[in-house]
PDB file of all heavy atoms in Angstrom:
ATOM      1  N   THR P   6      14.199  -0.146 199.401  1.00  0.00           N
ATOM      2  CA  THR P   6      13.610  -1.481 199.247  1.00  0.00           C
ATOM      3  C   THR P   6      14.564  -2.415 198.508  1.00  0.00           C
ATOM      4  O   THR P   6      14.678  -3.577 198.868  1.00  0.00           O
ATOM      5  CB  THR P   6      12.261  -1.440 198.502  1.00  0.00           C
ATOM      6  OG1 THR P   6      12.409  -0.637 197.354  1.00  0.00           O
ATOM      7  CG2 THR P   6      11.147  -0.929 199.376  1.00  0.00           C
ATOM      8  N   ASN P   7      15.251  -1.900 197.481  1.00  0.00           N
ATOM      9  CA  ASN P   7      16.144  -2.778 196.723  1.00  0.00           C
ATOM     10  C   ASN P   7      17.307  -3.283 197.564  1.00  0.00           C
ATOM     11  O   ASN P   7      17.830  -4.357 197.311  1.00  0.00           O
ATOM     12  CB  ASN P   7      16.685  -2.059 195.490  1.00  0.00           C
ATOM     13  CG  ASN P   7      15.611  -1.952 194.419  1.00  0.00           C
ATOM     14  OD1 ASN P   7      14.549  -2.540 194.570  1.00  0.00           O
ATOM     15  ND2 ASN P   7      15.891  -1.191 193.387  1.00  0.00           N
ATOM     16  N   GLU P  10      16.546  -6.523 199.088  1.00  0.00           N
ATOM     17  CA  GLU P  10      16.216  -7.634 198.210  1.00  0.00           C
ATOM     18  C   GLU P  10      17.354  -8.640 198.205  1.00  0.00           C
ATOM     19  O   GLU P  10      18.522  -8.260 198.110  1.00  0.00           O
ATOM     20  CB  GLU P  10      16.019  -7.050 196.801  1.00  0.00           C
ATOM     21  CG  GLU P  10      15.130  -7.847 195.918  1.00  0.00           C
ATOM     22  CD  GLU P  10      14.850  -7.102 194.612  1.00  0.00           C
ATOM     23  OE1 GLU P  10      15.664  -7.216 193.686  1.00  0.00           O
ATOM     24  OE2 GLU P  10      13.824  -6.405 194.532  1.00  0.00           O
ATOM     25  N   TRP P  11      17.030  -9.923 198.293  1.00  0.00           N
ATOM     26  CA  TRP P  11      18.065 -10.960 198.147  1.00  0.00           C
ATOM     27  C   TRP P  11      18.639 -10.866 196.742  1.00  0.00           C
ATOM     28  O   TRP P  11      17.909 -10.566 195.792  1.00  0.00           O
ATOM     29  CB  TRP P  11      17.441 -12.343 198.316  1.00  0.00           C
ATOM     30  CG  TRP P  11      17.071 -12.698 199.719  1.00  0.00           C
ATOM     31  CD1 TRP P  11      17.494 -12.093 200.866  1.00  0.00           C
ATOM     32  CD2 TRP P  11      16.202 -13.765 200.115  1.00  0.00           C
ATOM     33  NE1 TRP P  11      16.941 -12.718 201.954  1.00  0.00           N
ATOM     34  CE2 TRP P  11      16.146 -13.747 201.527  1.00  0.00           C
ATOM     35  CE3 TRP P  11      15.475 -14.738 199.435  1.00  0.00           C
ATOM     36  CZ2 TRP P  11      15.396 -14.667 202.255  1.00  0.00           C
ATOM     37  CZ3 TRP P  11      14.724 -15.641 200.152  1.00  0.00           C
ATOM     38  CH2 TRP P  11      14.688 -15.613 201.552  1.00  0.00           C
ATOM     39  N   SER P  31      15.874 -17.634 186.512  1.00  0.00           N
ATOM     40  CA  SER P  31      16.591 -16.999 187.612  1.00  0.00           C
ATOM     41  C   SER P  31      15.725 -16.982 188.856  1.00  0.00           C
ATOM     42  O   SER P  31      14.541 -17.312 188.820  1.00  0.00           O
ATOM     43  CB  SER P  31      17.034 -15.589 187.209  1.00  0.00           C
ATOM     44  OG  SER P  31      15.952 -14.885 186.649  1.00  0.00           O
ATOM     45  N   HIS P  33      15.756 -15.366 193.343  1.00  0.00           N
ATOM     46  CA  HIS P  33      16.426 -14.618 194.400  1.00  0.00           C
ATOM     47  C   HIS P  33      16.772 -15.558 195.552  1.00  0.00           C
ATOM     48  O   HIS P  33      15.986 -16.433 195.899  1.00  0.00           O
ATOM     49  CB  HIS P  33      15.512 -13.509 194.929  1.00  0.00           C
ATOM     50  CG  HIS P  33      15.323 -12.394 193.955  1.00  0.00           C
ATOM     51  ND1 HIS P  33      16.136 -11.281 193.942  1.00  0.00           N
ATOM     52  CD2 HIS P  33      14.440 -12.231 192.952  1.00  0.00           C
ATOM     53  CE1 HIS P  33      15.735 -10.480 192.977  1.00  0.00           C
ATOM     54  NE2 HIS P  33      14.712 -11.027 192.355  1.00  0.00           N
ATOM     55  N   GLU P  38      23.998 -21.498 198.643  1.00  0.00           N
ATOM     56  CA  GLU P  38      23.349 -22.711 199.141  1.00  0.00           C
ATOM     57  C   GLU P  38      21.822 -22.598 199.013  1.00  0.00           C
ATOM     58  O   GLU P  38      21.153 -23.517 198.536  1.00  0.00           O
ATOM     59  CB  GLU P  38      23.751 -22.882 200.608  1.00  0.00           C
ATOM     60  CG  GLU P  38      23.550 -24.259 201.158  1.00  0.00           C
ATOM     61  CD  GLU P  38      23.906 -24.303 202.651  1.00  0.00           C
ATOM     62  OE1 GLU P  38      24.801 -23.537 203.093  1.00  0.00           O
ATOM     63  OE2 GLU P  38      23.259 -25.073 203.376  1.00  0.00           O
ATOM     64  N   ARG P  50      10.710 -29.549 189.861  1.00  0.00           N
ATOM     65  CA  ARG P  50       9.643 -30.258 190.578  1.00  0.00           C
ATOM     66  C   ARG P  50       9.217 -31.546 189.883  1.00  0.00           C
ATOM     67  O   ARG P  50       8.516 -32.359 190.439  1.00  0.00           O
ATOM     68  CB  ARG P  50       8.411 -29.346 190.747  1.00  0.00           C
ATOM     69  CG  ARG P  50       8.594 -28.260 191.796  1.00  0.00           C
ATOM     70  CD  ARG P  50       7.268 -27.591 192.128  1.00  0.00           C
ATOM     71  NE  ARG P  50       6.601 -27.035 190.967  1.00  0.00           N
ATOM     72  CZ  ARG P  50       6.971 -25.903 190.362  1.00  0.00           C
ATOM     73  NH1 ARG P  50       8.003 -25.202 190.822  1.00  0.00           N
ATOM     74  NH2 ARG P  50       6.320 -25.458 189.315  1.00  0.00           N
ATOM     75  N   ARG P  51       9.623 -31.718 188.611  1.00  0.00           N
ATOM     76  CA  ARG P  51       9.235 -32.930 187.885  1.00  0.00           C
ATOM     77  C   ARG P  51      10.455 -33.655 187.346  1.00  0.00           C
ATOM     78  O   ARG P  51      10.476 -34.095 186.203  1.00  0.00           O
ATOM     79  CB  ARG P  51       8.275 -32.568 186.755  1.00  0.00           C
ATOM     80  CG  ARG P  51       6.878 -32.198 187.279  1.00  0.00           C
ATOM     81  CD  ARG P  51       6.000 -31.638 186.196  1.00  0.00           C
ATOM     82  NE  ARG P  51       4.656 -31.349 186.655  1.00  0.00           N
ATOM     83  CZ  ARG P  51       4.326 -30.289 187.391  1.00  0.00           C
ATOM     84  NH1 ARG P  51       5.257 -29.433 187.764  1.00  0.00           N
ATOM     85  NH2 ARG P  51       3.077 -30.099 187.760  1.00  0.00           N
ATOM     86  N   SER P  68      27.637 -10.325 175.728  1.00  0.00           N
ATOM     87  CA  SER P  68      27.952  -9.508 174.551  1.00  0.00           C
ATOM     88  C   SER P  68      26.773  -8.571 174.277  1.00  0.00           C
ATOM     89  O   SER P  68      25.660  -8.819 174.727  1.00  0.00           O
ATOM     90  CB  SER P  68      28.218 -10.403 173.349  1.00  0.00           C
ATOM     91  OG  SER P  68      27.073 -11.179 173.052  1.00  0.00           O
TER      92      SER P  68
ATOM     93  N   LYS D  23      18.500  -7.678 176.100  1.00  0.00           N
ATOM     94  CA  LYS D  23      19.450  -6.612 175.779  1.00  0.00           C
ATOM     95  C   LYS D  23      19.155  -5.935 174.443  1.00  0.00           C
ATOM     96  O   LYS D  23      19.835  -4.981 174.072  1.00  0.00           O
ATOM     97  CB  LYS D  23      20.888  -7.151 175.798  1.00  0.00           C
ATOM     98  CG  LYS D  23      21.383  -7.429 177.228  1.00  0.00           C
ATOM     99  CD  LYS D  23      22.721  -8.147 177.236  1.00  0.00           C
ATOM    100  CE  LYS D  23      23.871  -7.248 176.833  1.00  0.00           C
ATOM    101  NZ  LYS D  23      24.578  -6.650 177.967  1.00  0.00           N
ATOM    102  N   ASP D  74       2.900 -25.500 192.363  1.00  0.00           N
ATOM    103  CA  ASP D  74       3.154 -25.112 190.964  1.00  0.00           C
ATOM    104  C   ASP D  74       2.828 -23.636 190.748  1.00  0.00           C
ATOM    105  O   ASP D  74       3.545 -22.916 190.044  1.00  0.00           O
ATOM    106  CB  ASP D  74       2.278 -25.928 190.008  1.00  0.00           C
ATOM    107  CG  ASP D  74       2.921 -27.250 189.592  1.00  0.00           C
ATOM    108  OD1 ASP D  74       4.094 -27.481 189.934  1.00  0.00           O
ATOM    109  OD2 ASP D  74       2.235 -28.043 188.918  1.00  0.00           O
ATOM    110  N   TYR D  81       8.584 -17.840 188.027  1.00  0.00           N
ATOM    111  CA  TYR D  81       9.108 -17.778 186.638  1.00  0.00           C
ATOM    112  C   TYR D  81       8.770 -16.419 186.036  1.00  0.00           C
ATOM    113  O   TYR D  81       9.570 -15.789 185.338  1.00  0.00           O
ATOM    114  CB  TYR D  81       8.455 -18.799 185.692  1.00  0.00           C
ATOM    115  CG  TYR D  81       8.447 -20.252 186.081  1.00  0.00           C
ATOM    116  CD1 TYR D  81       7.479 -21.116 185.555  1.00  0.00           C
ATOM    117  CD2 TYR D  81       9.411 -20.786 186.923  1.00  0.00           C
ATOM    118  CE1 TYR D  81       7.457 -22.462 185.880  1.00  0.00           C
ATOM    119  CE2 TYR D  81       9.381 -22.139 187.252  1.00  0.00           C
ATOM    120  CZ  TYR D  81       8.402 -22.966 186.736  1.00  0.00           C
ATOM    121  OH  TYR D  81       8.351 -24.288 187.042  1.00  0.00           O
ATOM    122  N   SER D  84      10.611 -13.331 187.428  1.00  0.00           N
ATOM    123  CA  SER D  84      11.980 -13.167 186.921  1.00  0.00           C
ATOM    124  C   SER D  84      11.973 -12.787 185.444  1.00  0.00           C
ATOM    125  O   SER D  84      12.869 -12.073 185.001  1.00  0.00           O
ATOM    126  CB  SER D  84      12.891 -14.344 187.249  1.00  0.00           C
ATOM    127  OG  SER D  84      12.308 -15.565 186.958  1.00  0.00           O
ATOM    128  N   GLU D  87      11.579  -9.120 185.543  1.00  0.00           N
ATOM    129  CA  GLU D  87      12.797  -8.445 186.004  1.00  0.00           C
ATOM    130  C   GLU D  87      13.816  -8.240 184.891  1.00  0.00           C
ATOM    131  O   GLU D  87      14.628  -7.314 184.954  1.00  0.00           O
ATOM    132  CB  GLU D  87      13.441  -9.242 187.150  1.00  0.00           C
ATOM    133  CG  GLU D  87      12.718  -9.036 188.477  1.00  0.00           C
ATOM    134  CD  GLU D  87      13.210  -9.996 189.556  1.00  0.00           C
ATOM    135  OE1 GLU D  87      12.702 -11.124 189.613  1.00  0.00           O
ATOM    136  OE2 GLU D  87      14.122  -9.624 190.310  1.00  0.00           O
ATOM    137  N   SER D  92      12.504  -4.088 189.440  1.00  0.00           N
ATOM    138  CA  SER D  92      12.998  -4.963 190.510  1.00  0.00           C
ATOM    139  C   SER D  92      11.860  -5.752 191.137  1.00  0.00           C
ATOM    140  O   SER D  92      10.687  -5.368 191.047  1.00  0.00           O
ATOM    141  CB  SER D  92      13.705  -4.149 191.588  1.00  0.00           C
ATOM    142  OG  SER D  92      12.758  -3.510 192.413  1.00  0.00           O
ATOM    143  N   ASP D  94      11.215  -6.142 194.262  1.00  0.00           N
ATOM    144  CA  ASP D  94      10.572  -5.378 195.329  1.00  0.00           C
ATOM    145  C   ASP D  94       9.567  -4.360 194.791  1.00  0.00           C
ATOM    146  O   ASP D  94       8.522  -4.140 195.389  1.00  0.00           O
ATOM    147  CB  ASP D  94      11.622  -4.667 196.201  1.00  0.00           C
ATOM    148  CG  ASP D  94      12.137  -5.593 197.305  1.00  0.00           C
ATOM    149  OD1 ASP D  94      11.607  -6.722 197.431  1.00  0.00           O
ATOM    150  OD2 ASP D  94      13.058  -5.197 198.037  1.00  0.00           O
ATOM    151  N   GLU D 157       3.174 -27.559 182.779  1.00  0.00           N
ATOM    152  CA  GLU D 157       2.785 -27.987 184.117  1.00  0.00           C
ATOM    153  C   GLU D 157       1.289 -27.830 184.375  1.00  0.00           C
ATOM    154  O   GLU D 157       0.721 -28.496 185.224  1.00  0.00           O
ATOM    155  CB  GLU D 157       3.589 -27.195 185.157  1.00  0.00           C
ATOM    156  CG  GLU D 157       5.068 -27.441 184.984  1.00  0.00           C
ATOM    157  CD  GLU D 157       5.933 -26.718 185.993  1.00  0.00           C
ATOM    158  OE1 GLU D 157       5.443 -25.838 186.715  1.00  0.00           O
ATOM    159  OE2 GLU D 157       7.132 -27.037 186.042  1.00  0.00           O
ATOM    160  N   ARG D 296      13.455 -13.132 205.950  1.00  0.00           N
ATOM    161  CA  ARG D 296      14.310 -12.560 204.894  1.00  0.00           C
ATOM    162  C   ARG D 296      15.510 -11.854 205.503  1.00  0.00           C
ATOM    163  O   ARG D 296      16.633 -11.994 205.025  1.00  0.00           O
ATOM    164  CB  ARG D 296      13.481 -11.596 204.022  1.00  0.00           C
ATOM    165  CG  ARG D 296      12.371 -12.288 203.239  1.00  0.00           C
ATOM    166  CD  ARG D 296      11.747 -11.374 202.197  1.00  0.00           C
ATOM    167  NE  ARG D 296      11.038 -10.240 202.774  1.00  0.00           N
ATOM    168  CZ  ARG D 296       9.785 -10.299 203.237  1.00  0.00           C
ATOM    169  NH1 ARG D 296       9.112 -11.430 203.197  1.00  0.00           N
ATOM    170  NH2 ARG D 296       9.208  -9.231 203.738  1.00  0.00           N
ATOM    171  N   ARG D 306      28.515 -15.373 207.195  1.00  0.00           N
ATOM    172  CA  ARG D 306      29.335 -16.432 206.597  1.00  0.00           C
ATOM    173  C   ARG D 306      30.382 -15.858 205.653  1.00  0.00           C
ATOM    174  O   ARG D 306      31.510 -16.314 205.583  1.00  0.00           O
ATOM    175  CB  ARG D 306      28.448 -17.416 205.845  1.00  0.00           C
ATOM    176  CG  ARG D 306      27.692 -18.338 206.778  1.00  0.00           C
ATOM    177  CD  ARG D 306      27.829 -19.767 206.336  1.00  0.00           C
ATOM    178  NE  ARG D 306      27.255 -19.932 205.002  1.00  0.00           N
ATOM    179  CZ  ARG D 306      26.770 -21.081 204.557  1.00  0.00           C
ATOM    180  NH1 ARG D 306      26.766 -22.140 205.327  1.00  0.00           N
ATOM    181  NH2 ARG D 306      26.289 -21.166 203.349  1.00  0.00           N
TER     182      ARG D 306
END
Side-chain angles (χ1 to χ4, degrees):
Chain P
T6 47
N7 285 352
E10 206 173 85
W11 287 344
S31 49
H33 289 269
E38 198 183 329
R50 286 192 304 284
R51 287 171 177 77
S68 61
Chain D
K23 287 172 73 95
D74 272 353
Y81 306 156
S84 48
E87 283 171 275
S92 77
D94 274 355
E157 300 181 348
R296 295 191 294 278
R306 285 229 298 206

